[in-house]
Amino acid sequence: MPPKNKSASQTSAGDTAKKRKTITMELKVEIIKRSERGENPSSIGKELGYSRSTIATILKDKGRIMDHVKGYTPMNATIITKQRSGLVIQMERLLTIWIEDQNQHNIPISLSLEQEKAQSIFNDLKAAGTPHTAIEGVCNEEFVASRGWFYRYKKRANLHNIKVQGEAASADASAASDFNKIFEDIIDDGDYLPEQIFNVDETGLFWKKMPERTYISKEEKSAQGHKASKDRLTLLLGGNASGDLKLKPLLVHRSLNPRALRNVTKAFLPVIWRANSKAWVTLALFEEWFLNHFIPAVESYCLAKNIPFNILLLLDNALGHPTTLDDMHPNVKVVFLPPNTTSLIQPMDQGVIASFKAYYLRRTFSQAVRATQNDEMTLRDFWRNYNIYDAIKNIADAWNEVKETNMRGVWNKLCPQLTQEFLGFTDDEIAETRQTVVAMGKQLQLNITENDVIEVLDSHSQELTNEDLMELEKEIELREETQDIETPQLKKFLTKELADAFRLIEAGMAKLEEQDSDTERFAKVYRTVTEGLKCYRAIYDEKKKSSIQTSLDAYFNK
């Protein structure tokens, strides 16, 4: 008997059942990551709706998939194309790092500038004879950074959030002038005191960099391997308009656990230590800093000053600043500066950061002078041993050295009504600091001038060179391979963990009491510790009360 014709519904159902599902590159990467976390192909396939064999095929092709993702294959693509060579892919990787770095530091870029940078990177890669030139035909490859290429690249690299302007942008004096009046109205409407108005800003710091013309710098350039002078970290610095509260610096490094900090408790550092592979202040890092560090710090400050906890925070529009910050706390209003006005009116950019960097360099040179006195150590040995822990201590000391008058005076351009009786900040002290560094350089037998010092200080805020980009890419790959990065998570208190902490503290106090023959001294310490723990006791009591109430509700609901 011949087979019966299928009904329309049966045909439709059959076609649907046999319809081939496409898998985007984004989903393939997720499958690979889940496998690396220990999930087996069967469980991954079951959850995502694919067969075990499909998952296994993707995992088998893992190397090729991840190579192409690094080459910025669109994440919504379903196939891997072979249209672009390895040299162009590498150029685009470096270009993306450069663009993101410019945006991280709120430096405007134009289309023409980006095209020029792309062509420059490509030419340098080709001239340098990168590993990709071993690929047949790559050494003769040509590339033109056309407008069409740019738009295709932007889509490939998923740069829809990156700010690229049609023409090179300059400081907008008109917008800055208009904002002054707007900001004054905000202050009046909120009845903010100078103590309640804050500004913070990110800045780069090459923490181990000597002037270019010194023999130390020249020797490092000629040496093979890692260049310590290329190590740039990012700092978030800020304070209030009254100048009497400098916030604890946030420091973002490329490594979460550098060798110099292996046996150091990071919570006790004079900076807030964070890390990611590019040493950038990301959205997640900034949000974590805002909620877990900024808000507690300013709340405690207001309590100590006996003023209302009513804060105004001024930020520039860098990509690392979440636009949702204004909704995160009822007592903190967040206001963003207009584009291209940072250099004109952002307080921290009017002399605070410049002073800090000059003080940091002076402290580093001062350490070198002390270390090399009486021929106890050569400058070369001192510089070889100078590590990130030394840098952290110098960063903290340099930040403490920034005067209250400086912190207050830099608000003059934006809020002259807050600092009417103050003359403002001048560059005289920075110039004096530079001259001191030159004098110390002579003690160290370094033939440097004030221009050399200026060059070092300016280099912290300059864009990454093509050589810097190549070095940074190697560092990023190394960090990601070793997973030596930190993904910040919002901390939270747990009832059991709090109880354990209190038990440990009590046990520690009991040990001290057993050994201390001075009962009055011990009683004083015990009272101090108990008083200091009151805030945590209150949290514990509240969580315990909430837990009991939840249990009772569950019982009566039964």
Side-chain angles (χ1 to χ4, degrees):
M1 178 182 287
K4 295 180 180 179
N5 292 332
K6 293 180 181 178
S7 66
S9 61
Q10 287 175 314
T11 303
S12 176
D15 289 346
T16 302
K18 294 178 182 178
K19 187 174 181 179
R20 188 183 184 89
K21 290 184 180 180
T22 58
I23 307 178
T24 65
M25 201 63 62
E26 185 175 16
L27 185 54
K28 289 179 182 178
V29 171
E30 183 188 343
I31 289 168
I32 291 168
K33 288 182 177 179
R34 290 177 68 158
S35 173
E36 289 174 346
R37 289 196 295 265
E39 293 186 54
N40 59 53
S42 297
S43 62
I44 297 172
K46 185 177 180 181
E47 187 169 333
L48 298 178
Y50 294 96
S51 67
R52 184 191 181 286
S53 60
T54 299
I55 302 300
T57 301
I58 292 170
L59 295 178
K60 187 177 179 181
D61 204 24
K62 168 184 170 181
R64 203 162 65 98
I65 291 169
M66 297 310 293
D67 283 345
H68 279 73
V69 168
K70 285 183 180 179
Y72 298 116
T73 298
M75 295 302 275
N76 60 354
T78 57
I79 59 171
I80 296 174
T81 63
K82 299 182 180 180
Q83 295 176 350
R84 293 172 300 123
S85 75
L87 198 58
V88 173
I89 289 172
Q90 189 180 13
M91 178 275 290
E92 291 184 356
R93 283 205 300 267
L94 298 181
L95 181 65
T96 302
I97 294 172
W98 176 79
I99 292 171
E100 290 177 337
D101 188 74
Q102 296 290 95
N103 276 268
Q104 278 288 326
H105 295 93
N106 207 30
I107 302 172
I109 52 176
S110 64
L111 172 58
S112 59
L113 185 61
E114 183 169 353
Q115 289 173 290
E116 182 182 327
K117 187 68 174 179
Q119 194 70 58
S120 168
I121 294 172
F122 179 86
N123 293 342
D124 282 0
L125 286 172
K126 189 173 179 180
T130 67
H132 291 294
T133 56
I135 302 172
E136 185 179 354
V138 167
C139 58
N140 297 318
E141 182 185 354
E142 298 299 330
F143 166 75
V144 176
S146 64
R147 186 178 290 265
W149 159 81
F150 166 73
Y151 288 114
R152 292 191 298 273
Y153 152 72
K154 187 177 179 183
K155 184 177 180 181
R156 281 195 297 272
N158 195 27
L159 295 178
H160 55 275
N161 288 326
I162 295 296
K163 296 175 288 185
V164 179
Q165 304 179 21
E167 297 179 359
S170 56
D172 192 337
S174 176
S177 178
D178 292 342
F179 183 77
N180 281 13
K181 181 64 174 71
I182 294 170
F183 197 62
E184 183 179 348
D185 291 341
I186 292 171
I187 292 171
D188 291 342
D189 292 343
D191 199 23
Y192 293 104
L193 301 170
E195 289 85 353
Q196 298 166 319
I197 306 170
F198 287 80
N199 174 235
V200 295
D201 190 27
E202 294 88 351
T203 185
L205 181 73
F206 289 103
W207 61 273
K208 192 172 182 177
K209 190 166 189 175
M210 277 277 185
E212 292 289 331
R213 294 196 305 128
T214 62
Y215 68 87
I216 297 288
S217 179
K218 290 176 181 177
E219 285 178 0
E220 188 188 32
K221 279 187 174 181
S222 62
Q224 294 293 321
H226 177 71
K227 305 284 193 294
S229 64
K230 299 291 184 183
D231 284 349
R232 184 170 69 169
L233 51 82
T234 299
L235 290 165
L236 181 72
L237 302 173
N240 61 359
S242 63
D244 64 337
L245 177 58
K246 283 183 289 188
L247 298 166
K248 187 176 183 178
L250 169 67
L251 187 157
V252 187
H253 191 259
R254 291 182 191 171
S255 172
L256 178 59
N257 295 301
R259 185 176 301 172
L261 298 184
R262 293 296 182 189
N263 299 314
V264 175
T265 304
K266 297 185 182 70
F268 294 150
L269 290 174
V271 298
I272 302 164
W273 179 270
R274 295 293 181 268
N276 60 54
S277 59
K278 298 184 180 76
W280 287 343
V281 177
T282 61
L283 287 167
L285 276 177
F286 195 93
E287 184 176 317
E288 188 260 348
W289 167 83
F290 178 78
L291 293 172
N292 291 341
H293 298 280
F294 175 71
I295 288 175
V298 295
E299 186 174 11
S300 297
Y301 167 80
C302 290
L303 184 64
K305 296 283 287 188
N306 196 27
I307 59 176
F309 176 34
N310 183 34
I311 302 299
L312 177 60
L313 175 61
L314 177 69
L315 300 172
D316 61 31
N317 58 350
L319 284 184
H321 299 162
T323 56
T324 55
L325 283 177
D326 197 36
D327 301 322
M328 290 187 181
H329 198 284
N331 299 89
V332 181
K333 180 175 180 59
V334 180
V335 176
F336 290 90
L337 286 162
N340 307 323
T341 59
T342 295
S343 62
L344 298 174
I345 56 175
Q346 174 153 243
M348 292 303 109
D349 276 357
Q350 307 310 311
V352 167
I353 289 175
S355 297
F356 159 76
K357 289 178 179 177
Y359 298 154
Y360 174 81
L361 186 62
R362 183 175 65 186
R363 284 189 170 273
T364 307
F365 267 64
S366 178
Q367 269 189 333
V369 170
R370 290 196 303 271
T372 55
Q373 281 178 342
N374 304 320
D375 296 325
E376 292 180 5
M377 179 184 288
T378 66
L379 177 60
R380 189 178 282 106
D381 288 338
F382 166 79
W383 202 239
R384 187 181 298 117
N385 293 325
Y386 186 79
N387 58 42
I388 189 62
Y389 190 36
D390 299 319
I392 289 170
K393 290 182 282 189
N394 281 340
I395 285 168
D397 290 340
W399 183 233
N400 288 334
E401 199 173 345
V402 177
K403 295 180 174 60
E404 183 176 322
T405 51
N406 188 346
M407 295 292 293
R408 187 167 72 247
V410 295
W411 290 80
N412 271 1
K413 290 183 180 179
L414 179 63
C415 311
Q417 74 276 14
L418 298 180
T419 54
Q420 288 176 350
E421 298 178 1
F422 185 70
L423 296 176
F425 171 75
T426 67
D427 290 332
D428 292 346
E429 191 164 348
I430 295 179
E432 185 180 328
T433 304
R434 292 197 301 259
Q435 291 158 12
T436 303
V437 172
V438 172
M440 289 178 179
K442 290 179 181 177
Q443 288 181 263
L444 295 168
Q445 298 182 337
L446 296 174
N447 184 25
I448 59 173
T449 66
E450 189 171 350
N451 285 336
D452 294 321
V453 176
I454 291 172
E455 189 177 278
V456 172
L457 295 175
D458 288 347
S459 70
H460 300 299
S461 55
Q462 289 173 353
E463 70 174 59
L464 296 172
T465 66
N466 295 347
E467 182 183 357
D468 293 336
L469 291 169
M470 294 178 204
E471 289 286 335
L472 180 55
E473 187 193 31
K474 291 177 185 176
E475 285 288 317
I476 291 169
E477 289 178 352
L478 179 62
R479 301 294 178 203
E480 289 178 347
E481 283 174 7
T482 59
Q483 295 184 335
D484 190 17
I485 58 175
E486 176 179 26
T487 302
Q489 295 180 347
L490 297 181
K491 298 178 182 179
K492 60 181 180 180
F493 289 105
L494 300 175
T495 308
K496 182 181 181 303
E497 296 298 327
L498 281 168
D500 289 345
F502 294 138
R503 278 195 293 272
L504 289 171
I505 293 169
E506 287 293 338
M509 295 305 297
K511 287 284 185 184
L512 290 174
E513 186 179 21
E514 289 174 6
Q515 303 170 71
D516 196 343
S517 58
D518 188 336
T519 56
E520 189 174 331
R521 176 175 57 193
F522 174 78
K524 183 178 178 181
V525 171
Y526 189 82
R527 283 195 301 270
T528 302
V529 172
T530 303
E531 182 67 26
L533 289 172
K534 275 186 177 179
C535 58
Y536 292 123
R537 287 281 184 189
I539 294 170
Y540 173 75
D541 292 341
E542 184 62 33
K543 292 189 75 67
K544 194 172 180 181
K545 180 181 176 182
S546 175
S547 176
I548 293 170
Q549 184 62 47
T550 302
S551 300
L552 287 172
D553 290 344
Y555 174 79
F556 286 115
N557 284 338
K558 288 181 179 180

